[in-house]
Amino acid sequence: MANYRLLFCCAAMSSFTVALAAQTAPAPKRAKPVHSIEAAPKPTASPNAQKEAAAKTPAPPKEPAITFNSVHVDGPYIAMTFDDGPSAALTPKLLDLLAAHHIKATFFVIGENVAEHPEIVARAAREGHEIASHSWSHPNLAKMSQESVRSQLQRTDDAIKSAIGKSPTLMRPPYGSITEREKRWIHDEFGYDIILWDVDPLDWKRPGPAVVRNRILKETRPGSIVLSHDIHPGTVEAMPSTFDELEAKGFKFVTVSELLGMATPVTPHPKAEPAEKTAAKAAPSAVPASSPGG
């Protein structure tokens, strides 16, 4: 009986010790839940905000143009140009006609012809006409090596300088054929602007003076660069009536360089808004747009 009581006391003491330990021991820390970290989505700007930001961002400066088909001008100014000369038989007749009309033109000359008839080129320059390069022998520059093109232009430059005392500042590629790369290095190396045209009567096909005249009259606008050739008899025959009728239309004649100097910026036209936007704005109140002969 004594042993039984002793065993009961030991069990009671043991239970008390366990209960006391449970009360005094620190509670175990709960593990924090693990959450994945995601980047917060960036707010998307509204279309209007994007437009405003774009408007505030200055546009990169535009490179100056080096190729011209025509020129935007304020006034009825045009440039008559004549290619492939000088011709011993025809160019002096054309110079007489230009002098009678007090017209200044631009001659894109072939270097070989300049070397053969420097006195005609000298006369044209002396009378106020512009002399420009049209290569030495009229090849297709776009199909030539850079060194061959350089030779064509340098020889022509030298012949013109020998005839008139100064180098040209303009160049017209034969047939209007030239690559973008050629335009750039020719401009950088020789300083030439590349001159094409926007009026082409196709006089190299020799359609007759009346056709040449009518095509020029139909296509010419203020700022036009008119292409023709002073090596075809029909072209020179077409010029008296062509000049008369162009003058009657109010056109004034200048050299290509003078025309380039008159260039004015083109005013952009505002874009038309969609009809639904226009209607929405109006709803609150009733408030009432090249030639082979070149």
Side-chain angles (χ1 to χ4, degrees):
M1 184 66 177
N3 289 338
Y4 176 77
R5 287 179 179 173
L6 180 59
L7 182 60
F8 177 79
C9 289
C10 288
M13 288 295 294
S14 176
S15 299
F16 176 77
T17 302
V18 171
L20 182 61
Q23 292 179 1
T24 57
K29 293 183 180 180
R30 296 178 62 187
K32 293 182 179 180
V34 178
H35 298 287
S36 61
I37 300 175
E38 297 181 359
K42 295 181 180 180
T44 303
S46 67
N48 288 339
Q50 291 176 352
K51 288 180 181 179
E52 291 176 2
K56 291 179 181 178
T57 304
K62 291 183 179 180
E63 291 189 7
I66 60 175
T67 307
F68 300 88
N69 294 77
S70 61
V71 181
H72 185 267
V73 295
D74 290 332
Y77 300 99
I78 62 173
M80 299 295 300
T81 68
F82 297 91
D83 287 13
D84 295 355
S87 160
L90 298 175
T91 304
K93 292 181 180 179
L94 179 59
L95 289 173
D96 291 342
L97 178 61
L98 291 167
H101 283 261
H102 306 287
I103 291 173
K104 299 297 183 283
T106 300
F107 289 87
F108 288 92
V109 294
I110 297 295
E112 288 180 334
N113 294 339
V114 175
E116 190 171 351
H117 304 291
E119 73 287 352
I120 299 177
V121 178
R123 175 192 166 184
R126 189 168 59 249
E127 294 180 1
H129 304 292
E130 183 168 27
I131 309 301
S133 174
H134 197 39
S135 82
W136 178 258
S137 59
H138 208 280
N140 187 332
L141 301 184
K143 297 182 177 181
M144 300 176 67
S145 69
Q146 182 168 328
E147 189 55 42
S148 296
V149 172
R150 179 179 290 110
S151 175
Q152 284 277 329
L153 299 182
Q154 188 61 61
R155 293 175 73 188
T156 305
D157 195 289
D158 292 343
I160 292 173
K161 188 173 183 179
S162 176
I164 69 174
K166 62 180 181 179
S167 294
T169 60
L170 309 177
M171 191 276 285
R172 173 172 283 163
Y175 315 105
S177 178
I178 189 170
T179 67
E180 290 300 322
R181 181 177 177 276
E182 285 174 336
K183 289 178 185 179
R184 175 52 57 188
W185 75 256
I186 288 171
H187 176 76
D188 291 345
E189 188 169 321
F190 288 90
Y192 299 154
D193 284 329
I194 312 301
I195 307 301
L196 301 176
W197 57 86
D198 68 327
V199 178
D200 182 1
L202 302 177
D203 61 325
W204 59 275
K205 293 184 176 182
R206 303 194 177 194
V211 175
V212 171
R213 179 191 67 237
N214 292 338
R215 287 173 177 171
I216 291 175
L217 294 174
K218 181 180 178 181
E219 298 174 18
T220 301
R221 303 287 183 272
S224 282
I225 298 175
V226 182
L227 168 67
S228 50
H229 300 78
D230 55 325
I231 61 170
H232 301 308
T235 299
V236 177
E237 290 174 26
M239 287 302 112
S241 58
T242 300
F243 293 156
D244 287 340
E245 295 194 41
L246 287 172
E247 289 172 331
K249 285 174 172 283
F251 287 114
K252 299 182 184 302
F253 303 87
V254 295
T255 65
V256 170
S257 286
E258 288 172 334
L259 194 68
L260 297 181
M262 296 176 178
T264 59
V266 178
T267 304
H269 296 289
K271 294 182 179 179
E273 295 187 8
E276 58 271 16
K277 287 188 177 182
T278 306
K281 289 182 179 180
S285 59
V287 179
S290 88
S291 167

